[in-house]
Amino acid sequence: MKRHQATLLENRRLGPGLYSLQVEFEDLGDVEPGQFFEFLTGARFLRRAFSVADRDAMRLRFVLRVVGKGTAWLSQLTEGSKLNLAGPLGQGVAMPSEGPVMLLAGGIGAAPLLYLARKLNEQRVEVDALLAAGTKEELILTEEFGSLCRKVILATDDGSCGQKGLLTDILPALPAINDIQIFYACGPESMFAALKRLDLGKPLYAFLESRMGCGTGLCMGCGVLGRDGRYHRVCTEGPVFNLEEIEL
Amino acid sequence: MKRHQATLLENRRLGPGLYSLQVEFEDLGDVEPGQFFEFLTGARFLRRAFSVADRDAMRLRFVLRVVGKGTAWLSQLTEGSKLNLAGPLGQGVAMPSEGPVMLLAGGIGAAPLLYLARKLNEQRVEVDALLAAGTKEELILTEEFGSLCRKVILATDDGSCGQKGLLTDILPALPAINDIQIFYACGPESMFAALKRLDLGKPLYAFLESRMGCGTGLCMGCGVLGRDGRYHRVCTEGPVFNLEEIEL
Amino acid sequence: MSLEVFLGKARFRNPLVLASGTFGYGLTHTHVIDRMGAFVTKGITVQECVGNPQPRIWDSRETVINSVGLENVGLKRFKEETLPLIDISTPLYVNLAGVDLDDFRILIESLSDEEKIAGFELNLSCPNVKEGGAALGQSADRVGKVTSLARSLTTKPLWAKLTSNFCDVRETSKAAADAGADALVLINTLNALVIDIKGRKPFLGAGSGGLSGPAIKPYVLYIVKEVSRQINIPVIASGGVTSGTDVIEYLLAGASLVQLGSINLVDPEAGLRILEELKRYFEQEGISPAGIIGRLEER
Amino acid sequence: MSLEVFLGKARFRNPLVLASGTFGYGLTHTHVIDRMGAFVTKGITVQECVGNPQPRIWDSRETVINSVGLENVGLKRFKEETLPLIDISTPLYVNLAGVDLDDFRILIESLSDEEKIAGFELNLSCPNVKEGGAALGQSADRVGKVTSLARSLTTKPLWAKLTSNFCDVRETSKAAADAGADALVLINTLNALVIDIKGRKPFLGAGSGGLSGPAIKPYVLYIVKEVSRQINIPVIASGGVTSGTDVIEYLLAGASLVQLGSINLVDPEAGLRILEELKRYFEQEGISPAGIIGRLEER
Ligand SMILES: Cc1cc2nc3c(=O)[nH]c(=O)nc-3n(C[C@H](O)[C@H](O)[C@H](O)COP(=O)(O)OP(=O)(O)OC[C@H]3O[C@@H](n4cnc5c(N)ncnc54)[C@H](O)[C@@H]3O)c2cc1C
Ligand SMILES: Cc1cc2nc3c(=O)[nH]c(=O)nc-3n(C[C@H](O)[C@H](O)[C@H](O)COP(=O)(O)OP(=O)(O)OC[C@H]3O[C@@H](n4cnc5c(N)ncnc54)[C@H](O)[C@@H]3O)c2cc1C
Ligand SMILES: Cc1cc2nc3c(=O)[nH]c(=O)nc-3n(C[C@H](O)[C@H](O)[C@H](O)COP(=O)(O)O)c2cc1C
Ligand SMILES: Cc1cc2nc3c(=O)[nH]c(=O)nc-3n(C[C@H](O)[C@H](O)[C@H](O)COP(=O)(O)O)c2cc1C
Ligand code: FES
Ligand code: FES
């Protein structure tokens, strides 16, 4: 694990409780989609995990949703603040050999998928994205996905933007779905459970979250129950798992 | 006890670990010399006490010395920060009916005495000041005292500015000392002990510090041992005591 | 929406109690006291007590350690000078800090007839005194004896304030309940040591102190849940409350009343804020405090 | 300046020990392990153990609460698969988590001859399991029995890791010492409950967990001081260390070694930083760790 003293270049509000943080590193090696960084905050003892949402040279973008004290603290940081970060952590996602692939984002789940879209785009793999959220205000990063994807489908629970309904209501009826080779999904646990029931017949990689202790494989705090009846560490064995292999 | 949401207008470094904070209040009644405010910090559970060092309309000045986590946190605040304060607390000092009076400041002890000098000046009581500190860099507020006092004598332990020696070494030899009616002193405990031994023959009011719990008379955390064998609360019965009345 | 809670026949207008040692004798800030469920005085000893040397307070971000010791005016001055000045509309509980059975006998015999006093909190737990206090409270046998004696001397409500230091508080709780306590107060501060490494000596003047504050809340919550499920008298929680949410957690865990201690030092009006938070919660939920006591579900 | 400490004949290159459950099995971050005084594995049970349901972690600013439970590979896989992979130059202590005497017998009989293992930490204190753990460790009698049994089965160093939950840890300490433990580890986490008031249920998947972290340091310091003055075998401190200063406080209070737990979760290289802080201190003071153990002065 590498620790960094990084600088917050920009802290921009994207929507209700949603913030985009641009962070400048002094020293940064390869970062793969799916990997994450752990942020020290002044509000909690343990670090907080955030996926890399995008990269531009030595700058990483993170997108966060305020859900508790740690995220609230981060959301209030002003530009120029110094950040104590550890990372990159976790395994990068297995990149597909061919497309098209589809990204399935529920709410803040769009964050890590954006960086995946960027990498897929660089490798000229065709990529579609289905971005869902509760309301129009909570639909984030739509423009960024637009510039990287073949097709972007928007959906909101209340119909205030794009199609109306849950991601898993809309997905099965999409015409594009048939030639998709791999799905990548990130969203709340209920979304993964519903995706599992849909049984899309193609590999589906789930970007999981979990309350973490160490983020470095030492404490067993983050385990997700596998179909083998054992817990697997989201921090070092994940955070991306084949949906088939985990219990929800 | 009144609580305030106040704004930090200026945070200026005065010397090594020494900071001057200008704080703007929305609403502020009378404040007497000797009174203090308690600051909430993000670094400690309890509030931290600081004496009023000066006042200009709705602005109060505080001067603080970094000695631990709470003061370090305050010293790093940037302008525009909101402060959670409680005060004014404690009893104001008994104002003299006639002068001249002399202020005896050891290090950061200059802070509350400056506000007293201001008030004495307004009431046209003649006032001298003997300001002592370890080194030149630690001698603070000398200009401010200069504009309010008849005479300002400077002293440093290492002789880097003014006379060389401890405040209590220099004091007895000062010519001005004979017609002084009252002394007001603020400094470290060792200074008060030495002052007591000097036995100046005139009333000496000591501005005391003590680790506080509540600052409002509820917890008995701040007691200073009186000559009556009982503890007296620095927060509500003080912070200014007649040096005669306390044990050191 | 009424927030009242009954402990036997004793009525409390809401579940909030100002904890001993954190609100003086009730002579100031009466606008706060008068809105609370009950008020407990600083511990009263038979003899006037000067308390411990300075420093008496240390804190971190989530803890307070105090070694005030039982600085108080003593029984005689309390009865003659202080009590007449107390003018509150909230049930007044006097925290009694005895070193042995005799002390408790003297304290209760002297104060039991005072009309102003609603009840007594038996301090079987203060970690800041050499004799009595925690030592007394660490033995189920002695807790039982003190409580029995107190029970035989007064018909006023008796709260037994216990410690979890170096003992099984489930056993001392049972002893207090069996001996006739009306409620258990769980818990007093934890023994704590802060060291000044430069001087290689304890930082606090008394050598050690008692730890309180938000960090201990999950620990005390666990104790409250365990004890309230095992013992058949009401439990009053004391440990780390700073918000209405904390109070609700304690009620769910099984407490009938909840004390506010260290938070009063940060803000003597914290009780008023917490009361508003409680009101809002109970109004929204359409339920009363009594309706959630002990209603924590299993996982 | 050497920082070495001896416990009997066992040598530790410095007083820092990586605490059980916070550094896995010692398969990663070996550059850290190799600089420490000793390393303790996650608790090993006879049967493989899947651990507790999620969520398993909660924290505040100064505390961590975990309910990982004894998730571990179990004795057989530990011995056959894990142990061969462990490649460290630091004394390896295996934390043994049994529910009853039989478990401890099986664990020690199976592992006692392993050369790689320097010694055992008897986990008489984990609050995250229903049977054994804390329950075992709350009775001086049972602590004595387990320790005696272990003593009869191995000549390797035996550390008894104790709890202060619902018991008098001075008594369990005495029992462990009398039964032949080489050292006491004080203490394991405190029982702790976090409540989700919306769901009216415990927040942690296991219902409750164990509290650790900086907030408990003054509490554990007090216990270490008390026990080390009363009991004649070395004490190993465990609770809330985040800095070199904390380690020095524990040494002054009477600990011979000091464990690092929760801080490893924030930074797995914390041990290296703390070691540097210690070096600086001991160089400046021109003294060795052994020279300050228990040298706290009275106030
Ligand atoms: C690999 C990984 C990548 C991630 N990437 C991102 C990302 O890119 N963007 C992002 O926004 N998030 C991301 N997360 C999630 C993020 O780490 C969490 O949202 C964050 O840790 C929350 O910290 P907090 O201190 O704000 O919340 P906490 O205060 O710790 O609370 C966290 C959650 O627990 C609940 N909770 C806490 N205490 C209680 C209680 N007593 N009762 C009931 N509920 C309670 C809170 O309501 C909240 O839902 C990621 C997580 C992982 C593991
Ligand atoms: C009425 C009043 C007025 C005051 N006015 C001013 C003012 O105008 N300006 C000003 O600068 N200060 C003033 N003070 C003092 C100020 O309140 C304190 O300096 C401040 O509270 C320190 O807070 P802290 O969190 O920075 O220090 P803390 O971290 O609380 O430490 C405070 C002191 O305790 C020592 N300490 C803490 N823990 C230990 C330990 N384990 N071992 C050894 N030592 C330890 C520290 O070294 C330090 O000296 C005043 C105090 C009072 C009571
Ligand atoms: C400064 C201070 C003084 C205290 N004095 C007493 C006391 O005299 N008698 C007593 O029973 N408890 C005393 N306590 C303990 C509190 O009443 C309370 O039980 C404890 O602080 C835990 O609650 P908290 O975490 O809300 O503070 C004192 C606590 C503090 C902080
Ligand atoms: C995530 C986690 C897992 C733990 N697992 C174990 C364990 O398996 N066996 C054990 O004896 N102690 C275990 N502990 C307790 C620690 O070893 C240590 O005694 C305790 O956390 C107190 O020290 P600290 O405040 O430095 O963390 C665990 C602690 C944590 C935080
Ligand atoms: S968070 Fe500690 S093992 Fe994953
Ligand atoms: S600080 Fe509480 S009485 Fe003075």
mmCIF file of all heavy atoms in Angstrom, chain D residues 231-262:
data_model
loop_
_atom_site.group_PDB
_atom_site.id
_atom_site.type_symbol
_atom_site.label_atom_id
_atom_site.label_comp_id
_atom_site.label_asym_id
_atom_site.label_seq_id
_atom_site.Cartn_x
_atom_site.Cartn_y
_atom_site.Cartn_z
ATOM 1 N N ILE D 231 0.781 -8.520 40.146
ATOM 2 C CA ILE D 231 1.061 -9.868 39.638
ATOM 3 C C ILE D 231 2.516 -9.941 39.199
ATOM 4 O O ILE D 231 3.023 -9.020 38.568
ATOM 5 C CB ILE D 231 0.144 -10.209 38.443
ATOM 6 C CG1 ILE D 231 -1.309 -9.901 38.781
ATOM 7 C CG2 ILE D 231 0.333 -11.665 38.020
ATOM 8 C CD1 ILE D 231 -1.989 -10.824 39.728
ATOM 9 N N ASN D 232 3.087 -11.097 39.457
ATOM 10 C CA ASN D 232 4.531 -11.207 39.315
ATOM 11 C C ASN D 232 5.041 -11.688 37.950
ATOM 12 O O ASN D 232 6.178 -12.088 37.822
ATOM 13 C CB ASN D 232 5.039 -12.148 40.415
ATOM 14 C CG ASN D 232 6.334 -11.625 40.971
ATOM 15 O OD1 ASN D 232 6.871 -10.660 40.436
ATOM 16 N ND2 ASN D 232 6.844 -12.268 42.002
ATOM 17 N N ILE D 233 4.198 -11.710 36.937
ATOM 18 C CA ILE D 233 4.697 -12.080 35.605
ATOM 19 C C ILE D 233 4.544 -10.880 34.674
ATOM 20 O O ILE D 233 3.769 -9.963 34.965
ATOM 21 C CB ILE D 233 3.978 -13.332 35.032
ATOM 22 C CG1 ILE D 233 2.472 -13.067 34.847
ATOM 23 C CG2 ILE D 233 4.201 -14.550 35.930
ATOM 24 C CD1 ILE D 233 1.754 -14.170 34.096
ATOM 25 N N PRO D 234 5.289 -10.869 33.575
ATOM 26 C CA PRO D 234 5.242 -9.707 32.686
ATOM 27 C C PRO D 234 3.845 -9.448 32.122
ATOM 28 O O PRO D 234 3.064 -10.382 31.909
ATOM 29 C CB PRO D 234 6.198 -10.087 31.549
ATOM 30 C CG PRO D 234 7.069 -11.159 32.089
ATOM 31 C CD PRO D 234 6.245 -11.889 33.106
ATOM 32 N N VAL D 235 3.588 -8.184 31.895
ATOM 33 C CA VAL D 235 2.314 -7.775 31.291
ATOM 34 C C VAL D 235 2.587 -7.226 29.895
ATOM 35 O O VAL D 235 3.541 -6.479 29.687
ATOM 36 C CB VAL D 235 1.636 -6.711 32.170
ATOM 37 C CG1 VAL D 235 0.504 -6.025 31.420
ATOM 38 C CG2 VAL D 235 1.114 -7.337 33.461
ATOM 39 N N ILE D 236 1.755 -7.605 28.960
ATOM 40 C CA ILE D 236 1.811 -7.086 27.597
ATOM 41 C C ILE D 236 0.563 -6.245 27.402
ATOM 42 O O ILE D 236 -0.557 -6.727 27.592
ATOM 43 C CB ILE D 236 1.852 -8.251 26.582
ATOM 44 C CG1 ILE D 236 3.102 -9.112 26.841
ATOM 45 C CG2 ILE D 236 1.810 -7.728 25.150
ATOM 46 C CD1 ILE D 236 3.086 -10.456 26.132
ATOM 47 N N ALA D 237 0.751 -4.979 27.067
ATOM 48 C CA ALA D 237 -0.397 -4.076 26.970
ATOM 49 C C ALA D 237 -1.023 -4.144 25.592
ATOM 50 O O ALA D 237 -0.332 -4.267 24.583
ATOM 51 C CB ALA D 237 0.041 -2.648 27.267
ATOM 52 N N SER D 238 -2.360 -4.017 25.540
ATOM 53 C CA SER D 238 -3.063 -3.962 24.264
ATOM 54 C C SER D 238 -4.269 -3.060 24.406
ATOM 55 O O SER D 238 -5.229 -3.413 25.086
ATOM 56 C CB SER D 238 -3.500 -5.368 23.831
ATOM 57 O OG SER D 238 -4.261 -5.302 22.660
ATOM 58 N N GLY D 239 -4.191 -1.902 23.784
ATOM 59 C CA GLY D 239 -5.324 -0.998 23.849
ATOM 60 C C GLY D 239 -4.976 0.413 23.442
ATOM 61 O O GLY D 239 -4.349 1.159 24.187
ATOM 62 N N GLY D 240 -5.360 0.771 22.210
ATOM 63 C CA GLY D 240 -5.371 2.172 21.818
ATOM 64 C C GLY D 240 -4.056 2.810 21.464
ATOM 65 O O GLY D 240 -3.977 4.036 21.375
ATOM 66 N N VAL D 241 -3.034 2.021 21.219
ATOM 67 C CA VAL D 241 -1.749 2.643 20.886
ATOM 68 C C VAL D 241 -1.758 3.194 19.458
ATOM 69 O O VAL D 241 -2.142 2.502 18.521
ATOM 70 C CB VAL D 241 -0.604 1.625 21.034
ATOM 71 C CG1 VAL D 241 0.701 2.201 20.496
ATOM 72 C CG2 VAL D 241 -0.449 1.221 22.487
ATOM 73 N N THR D 242 -1.350 4.440 19.313
ATOM 74 C CA THR D 242 -1.198 5.020 17.976
ATOM 75 C C THR D 242 0.143 5.735 17.812
ATOM 76 O O THR D 242 0.437 6.208 16.720
ATOM 77 C CB THR D 242 -2.311 6.046 17.651
ATOM 78 O OG1 THR D 242 -2.188 7.158 18.541
ATOM 79 C CG2 THR D 242 -3.696 5.451 17.791
ATOM 80 N N SER D 243 0.919 5.824 18.875
ATOM 81 C CA SER D 243 2.168 6.596 18.789
ATOM 82 C C SER D 243 3.222 6.046 19.735
ATOM 83 O O SER D 243 2.916 5.258 20.641
ATOM 84 C CB SER D 243 1.895 8.047 19.178
ATOM 85 O OG SER D 243 1.630 8.123 20.579
ATOM 86 N N GLY D 244 4.448 6.500 19.521
ATOM 87 C CA GLY D 244 5.532 6.128 20.407
ATOM 88 C C GLY D 244 5.267 6.566 21.841
ATOM 89 O O GLY D 244 5.573 5.843 22.794
ATOM 90 N N THR D 245 4.674 7.731 21.989
ATOM 91 C CA THR D 245 4.338 8.216 23.332
ATOM 92 C C THR D 245 3.438 7.227 24.063
ATOM 93 O O THR D 245 3.622 6.950 25.253
ATOM 94 C CB THR D 245 3.631 9.585 23.238
ATOM 95 O OG1 THR D 245 4.482 10.481 22.532
ATOM 96 C CG2 THR D 245 3.317 10.146 24.605
ATOM 97 N N ASP D 246 2.470 6.694 23.338
ATOM 98 C CA ASP D 246 1.570 5.712 23.967
ATOM 99 C C ASP D 246 2.350 4.501 24.460
ATOM 100 O O ASP D 246 2.091 3.965 25.545
ATOM 101 C CB ASP D 246 0.511 5.241 22.964
ATOM 102 C CG ASP D 246 -0.395 6.362 22.496
ATOM 103 O OD1 ASP D 246 -0.532 7.355 23.218
ATOM 104 O OD2 ASP D 246 -0.977 6.229 21.401
ATOM 105 N N VAL D 247 3.292 4.051 23.656
ATOM 106 C CA VAL D 247 4.087 2.875 24.039
ATOM 107 C C VAL D 247 4.876 3.186 25.310
ATOM 108 O O VAL D 247 4.917 2.377 26.245
ATOM 109 C CB VAL D 247 5.045 2.484 22.885
ATOM 110 C CG1 VAL D 247 5.962 1.343 23.317
ATOM 111 C CG2 VAL D 247 4.243 2.094 21.642
ATOM 112 N N ILE D 248 5.458 4.360 25.348
ATOM 113 C CA ILE D 248 6.244 4.740 26.528
ATOM 114 C C ILE D 248 5.346 4.815 27.770
ATOM 115 O O ILE D 248 5.724 4.374 28.859
ATOM 116 C CB ILE D 248 6.977 6.071 26.264
ATOM 117 C CG1 ILE D 248 8.016 5.853 25.148
ATOM 118 C CG2 ILE D 248 7.651 6.596 27.528
ATOM 119 C CD1 ILE D 248 8.379 7.105 24.390
ATOM 120 N N GLU D 249 4.152 5.351 27.596
ATOM 121 C CA GLU D 249 3.211 5.377 28.727
ATOM 122 C C GLU D 249 2.966 3.964 29.263
ATOM 123 O O GLU D 249 2.967 3.739 30.473
ATOM 124 C CB GLU D 249 1.867 5.991 28.306
ATOM 125 C CG GLU D 249 1.917 7.487 28.080
ATOM 126 C CD GLU D 249 0.521 8.091 27.880
ATOM 127 O OE1 GLU D 249 -0.348 7.898 28.745
ATOM 128 O OE2 GLU D 249 0.296 8.736 26.835
ATOM 129 N N TYR D 250 2.756 3.023 28.348
ATOM 130 C CA TYR D 250 2.496 1.647 28.786
ATOM 131 C C TYR D 250 3.706 1.037 29.481
ATOM 132 O O TYR D 250 3.571 0.312 30.464
ATOM 133 C CB TYR D 250 2.067 0.773 27.602
ATOM 134 C CG TYR D 250 0.575 0.817 27.329
ATOM 135 C CD1 TYR D 250 0.073 1.230 26.107
ATOM 136 C CD2 TYR D 250 -0.339 0.419 28.307
ATOM 137 C CE1 TYR D 250 -1.292 1.262 25.844
ATOM 138 C CE2 TYR D 250 -1.706 0.442 28.069
ATOM 139 C CZ TYR D 250 -2.183 0.867 26.839
ATOM 140 O OH TYR D 250 -3.534 0.893 26.602
ATOM 141 N N LEU D 251 4.888 1.316 28.932
ATOM 142 C CA LEU D 251 6.091 0.784 29.596
ATOM 143 C C LEU D 251 6.198 1.357 31.006
ATOM 144 O O LEU D 251 6.399 0.623 31.979
ATOM 145 C CB LEU D 251 7.339 1.121 28.770
ATOM 146 C CG LEU D 251 7.445 0.478 27.367
ATOM 147 C CD1 LEU D 251 8.642 1.033 26.599
ATOM 148 C CD2 LEU D 251 7.528 -1.048 27.447
ATOM 149 N N LEU D 252 6.022 2.665 31.127
ATOM 150 C CA LEU D 252 6.084 3.293 32.452
ATOM 151 C C LEU D 252 5.051 2.685 33.396
ATOM 152 O O LEU D 252 5.306 2.479 34.580
ATOM 153 C CB LEU D 252 5.853 4.807 32.342
ATOM 154 C CG LEU D 252 6.997 5.632 31.737
ATOM 155 C CD1 LEU D 252 6.528 7.043 31.400
ATOM 156 C CD2 LEU D 252 8.197 5.683 32.691
ATOM 157 N N ALA D 253 3.879 2.386 32.844
ATOM 158 C CA ALA D 253 2.806 1.839 33.682
ATOM 159 C C ALA D 253 3.087 0.409 34.105
ATOM 160 O O ALA D 253 2.419 -0.118 34.988
ATOM 161 C CB ALA D 253 1.476 1.921 32.949
ATOM 162 N N GLY D 254 4.052 -0.232 33.445
ATOM 163 C CA GLY D 254 4.411 -1.576 33.882
ATOM 164 C C GLY D 254 4.380 -2.654 32.814
ATOM 165 O O GLY D 254 4.626 -3.821 33.112
ATOM 166 N N ALA D 255 4.060 -2.285 31.575
ATOM 167 C CA ALA D 255 4.040 -3.291 30.509
ATOM 168 C C ALA D 255 5.457 -3.563 30.028
ATOM 169 O O ALA D 255 6.289 -2.663 29.970
ATOM 170 C CB ALA D 255 3.185 -2.811 29.344
ATOM 171 N N SER D 256 5.715 -4.814 29.653
ATOM 172 C CA SER D 256 7.025 -5.177 29.112
ATOM 173 C C SER D 256 7.013 -5.160 27.588
ATOM 174 O O SER D 256 8.027 -4.907 26.949
ATOM 175 C CB SER D 256 7.424 -6.568 29.596
ATOM 176 O OG SER D 256 7.456 -6.598 31.000
ATOM 177 N N LEU D 257 5.875 -5.484 27.010
ATOM 178 C CA LEU D 257 5.692 -5.381 25.566
ATOM 179 C C LEU D 257 4.378 -4.642 25.337
ATOM 180 O O LEU D 257 3.525 -4.576 26.217
ATOM 181 C CB LEU D 257 5.609 -6.768 24.911
ATOM 182 C CG LEU D 257 6.816 -7.708 25.038
ATOM 183 C CD1 LEU D 257 6.470 -9.075 24.440
ATOM 184 C CD2 LEU D 257 8.041 -7.118 24.328
ATOM 185 N N VAL D 258 4.234 -4.108 24.127
ATOM 186 C CA VAL D 258 3.034 -3.321 23.832
ATOM 187 C C VAL D 258 2.516 -3.717 22.454
ATOM 188 O O VAL D 258 3.269 -3.735 21.483
ATOM 189 C CB VAL D 258 3.362 -1.810 23.864
ATOM 190 C CG1 VAL D 258 2.128 -0.993 23.536
ATOM 191 C CG2 VAL D 258 3.906 -1.418 25.241
ATOM 192 N N GLN D 259 1.228 -4.036 22.396
ATOM 193 C CA GLN D 259 0.649 -4.471 21.118
ATOM 194 C C GLN D 259 0.054 -3.308 20.338
ATOM 195 O O GLN D 259 -0.492 -2.367 20.909
ATOM 196 C CB GLN D 259 -0.423 -5.533 21.364
ATOM 197 C CG GLN D 259 0.133 -6.789 22.050
ATOM 198 C CD GLN D 259 -0.773 -7.999 21.902
ATOM 199 O OE1 GLN D 259 -1.935 -7.895 21.496
ATOM 200 N NE2 GLN D 259 -0.242 -9.171 22.234
ATOM 201 N N LEU D 260 0.147 -3.442 19.021
ATOM 202 C CA LEU D 260 -0.492 -2.481 18.120
ATOM 203 C C LEU D 260 -1.657 -3.188 17.448
ATOM 204 O O LEU D 260 -1.461 -4.208 16.786
ATOM 205 C CB LEU D 260 0.494 -2.020 17.042
ATOM 206 C CG LEU D 260 1.864 -1.546 17.521
ATOM 207 C CD1 LEU D 260 2.720 -1.139 16.324
ATOM 208 C CD2 LEU D 260 1.695 -0.373 18.472
ATOM 209 N N GLY D 261 -2.859 -2.639 17.612
ATOM 210 C CA GLY D 261 -4.038 -3.281 17.036
ATOM 211 C C GLY D 261 -4.692 -2.408 15.994
ATOM 212 O O GLY D 261 -4.256 -2.332 14.844
ATOM 213 N N SER D 262 -5.713 -1.678 16.401
ATOM 214 C CA SER D 262 -6.520 -0.904 15.454
ATOM 215 C C SER D 262 -5.706 0.011 14.550
ATOM 216 O O SER D 262 -6.075 0.237 13.401
ATOM 217 C CB SER D 262 -7.548 -0.064 16.214
ATOM 218 O OG SER D 262 -8.320 -0.878 17.064
#
